[in-house]
Amino acid sequence: MLEVRAIDTYYGETQALFDVSFDVGTAEVLTLLGANGAGKTTALRSILGLTRPRKGDILLDGQSLMARETHEIARAGIGWVPDDRRICPTLSVAKNLSLGIKRTRYRAWSVSEVTEIFSPLKYLMAREAETLSGGEMQMVAIGRALLGSPGLVLFDEPSQGLAPKIVDDVLSVIRRLKREGIASIVVEQNAEIALSVADSVVVLAQGTVAWKGAAEELKADPALKRKLLGGAQ
Amino acid sequence: MSIVGLLPHLVNGLALGLLFALLALGFMLILGLMEQINLAHGSLFALGAYFAYAIATPRLPLPPDLLAIWAAVPLGWRFTAAMLLAPVLVAPFGVVLERMMRRTYGRDPLYGLLLTFGMAMVLEELIRTVWGTRDYMLPVPRGISGGFLMLDLIWSTYRFWAAGFAVVAMAIVWVVIERTRFGALVKAGAHDSEMVRALGHDLEKLRVWVFVLGTMMAALAGVILAPVWGIRPHMGVDAVVPSFLIIVLGGVGSFWGAVLGGILVGMVVGLSGAYASEWSMMSMYLLLIAVVTFRARGLFGKKSVLEA
């Protein structure tokens, strides 16, 4: 569904990604692993057009995203759950969720389906977002992404700063999305968490693809895992 | 001076303050979403007053027959039409200004300041070219003009009406900002424009609509204030300074901060005018200094990360 083709991405004059390529299939969970500064978040920002690649191409279902604005890319069916959640603190939970609602050609999600997945949200609808805990904010961020009817969801460090129970909930959502035919790209520092849901893996190191393959292959080879992810496990 | 003697100044100050608040809210909407100080806001306010004058008096570029028909319409209807139409006629100027400002977004705020300052000069010259340099007075329908007697004092009827118009206009703005998805988008866009784009919203369109809303609020304030202040080419400059001051005083981004800031400025200007009119304008600057000395973020502003 998504093809990233030899992209080079820069911040000003500093190159952050070098000739990065990978594919994500329908309902596939791909995890991007790597140390801090390896280019994982930049890869997500490149897909969303927030930091536009200067070279290469990104295609969604065969259509290039390179000339499209970020809001058009989102409307094409790409959802984003950023690492710092980026919920508007002065709006209620209900309004934050409503900002995500849009129709695409992928499966539409209703607010009741979102509150069925994250039951605490039912009782938090009227609360101002700035009073929420980190876990509750993550629920809002994921719910908001689902209400945008995505075909692909980009999760940036979904376990960051969360209690183990909430991390488990987030992982179950990623598994449910897979069952519903929705693809995910999961950027994680915690390789164990990421590999527990991933079908395929791309390991980034200093902005380049150091390894890519099936998650099972990496899980089955501890020596390779140590070599690639030594500092990121 | 007795308390009763002060009352008219307090009430006039309150009415003026509510109109200032309306003007400042438009200024704040644009500042909040675009992070740009629109120095042309006052000129849009002035244009609103001039368009209202053209519609109500009537001095419209219409064929003589049509103009005669419109002139025969009672002033009450012409005044109502001016209040409704002048903001709509000024809105395209806001659209053009927003279009010109696009290249300054995300850059040094000085570019936006210089551009809007230049636009303010252009609009003021345009007003001089079209309407000349003389002062005008917007006629007020008989039903809401003149005065009435209360507590042995003569009160200006129109000032009460003007305050009422301002309250109704601000209530509509409050509903739009607090109770609609558009308002939620404006707030979210002011907080994090990148996230709003990543949720699938066209920020350029949103900016145009916010500029249109801010421009229409400025123009409406111009129409309502015109019978009180009179209409003259530099009235925009007289208006933009209090607007900016009210936003800083109330706290950037706060609806109620702008309302309270506007009322405070209006009251201080009104009261100081009663005792020492030459200090009337100076008093609002002193008020600002007094507030920001003790509370740098303004009365309702959010605490900055730079504060201890």
Side-chain angles (χ1 to χ4, degrees), chain A residues 1 10 35 43 53 68 83 88 154 159 162 170 192 199 211:
Chain A
M1 106 175 285
Y10 294 73
R68 296 203 200 174
D83 56 346
C88 182
L154 313 179
S159 72
L162 299 184
V170 171
E192 290 307 321
D199 299 311
W211 186 85

Side-chain angles (χ1 to χ4, degrees), chain A residues 45 48-50 69-71 74-75 78 80 82 85-91 95 98-102 130 144, chain B residues 177-181 183-189 191-204 302:
Chain A
R45 292 181 61 85
L48 283 163
L50 293 169
E69 294 295 329
T70 295
H71 70 273
R75 290 198 162 268
I78 298 184
W80 184 33
R85 286 100 201 191
R86 297 172 77 163
I87 304 297
C88 182
T90 54
L91 293 179
K95 279 198 180 143
S98 78
L99 291 181
I101 297 172
K102 63 180 183 294
E130 65 187 344
R144 184 179 63 182
Chain B
I177 298 298
E178 298 295 329
R179 291 284 179 265
T180 66
R181 191 160 183 257
L185 257 178
V186 170
K187 281 187 174 182
H191 171 70
D192 187 345
S193 59
E194 192 175 82
M195 191 67 228
V196 164
R197 286 191 292 139
L199 288 172
H201 301 288
D202 185 346
L203 201 65
E204 285 195 1
K302 294 273 180 194

Side-chain angles (χ1 to χ4, degrees), chain B residues 19-29 41 217 242-244 246-247 258 262:
Chain B
L19 290 164
F20 275 161
L22 178 63
L23 181 63
L25 276 173
F27 190 86
M28 189 179 71
L29 269 180
H41 196 69
M217 286 164 72
S243 299
F244 184 62
I246 287 163
I247 297 306

